[in-house]
Amino acid sequence: GGKTAPAGDPADYGPGEYPFELVPFDEMEYRRPDMDALKALFADTTAFAESASSGDSKELRSRLELCWDAYDEFYTMDTLAMLRSDIYQSDEALLEEYEFCQDAEVRIDEWIDRLLVACAASEASVPASLLAGYDQGDPEPYTDRQLALMDRENQLLVEYWRAMMLDDIQLNGKTVSYLETISAPAITDEEYLAARLAYARACNEAAAPIYIELIKVRRDMAADFGYDSYETMQ
């Protein structure tokens, strides 16, 4: 992702001291995550954890570290796609990559959660630092209904993202480009404010129904996970 780690154990350094080599944002390479490979990696490691004995502890730890690396790499690509699609809003290919990653998030989170539950319950020993708070008493992570709600939440977030990236606005009875209008060298303060208001109205018309459904989905999610509100769940 954005940092290249040097040799050495991070435990040897204090907070903020680990000497990463920073990579400039424009030089970061986006690679679409290979979901088939990730699914196989998490499934194989989960199966290994479930059948492992105490003598397999070192091997399980090594496999789990590979899974965490893959998990971090996925979310690095997800974030990179999101940032670049926001910067270059006219690039449909970048937006498609962000949508791909958003759709994949639920699967990735499900796979890593099932893996951590299996590792926590395994006869092989896994350091608590690699288990992210899971223990052997934790239930299976998600029901089919919860996965469906999480899928719908991500779909709505993508739809909302698209709605907020519109450019066509209605101004003085005409359809014009918002970005071209506010970028005009001779634009007056009144014209700028009128364009901003037209943009806000256009966004509201497109995004409000999505936002309302998103609130309903998130309330259902919170209730299904046993929380009083989505805010508390988050």
Side-chain angles (χ1 to χ4, degrees), residues 11-22:
D12 295 336
Y13 298 88
E17 294 180 351
Y18 194 40
F20 287 105
E21 178 187 347
L22 296 179

Side-chain angles (χ1 to χ4, degrees), residues 33-50 59-74 107-108 110-112 114-116 118-119:
D34 185 337
M35 297 306 294
D36 290 337
L38 288 169
K39 181 178 182 179
L41 173 65
F42 289 118
D44 289 348
T45 308
T46 301
F48 184 85
E50 291 171 343
E59 175 66 17
L60 179 56
R61 174 174 177 167
S62 296
R63 292 185 180 217
L64 184 53
E65 286 176 337
L66 289 176
C67 290
W68 272 125
D69 287 345
Y71 180 86
D72 290 341
E73 176 73 7
F74 170 84
R107 302 281 81 78
I108 291 290
E110 178 191 7
W111 297 337
I112 193 72
R114 292 191 186 282
L115 169 59
L116 293 174
C119 288

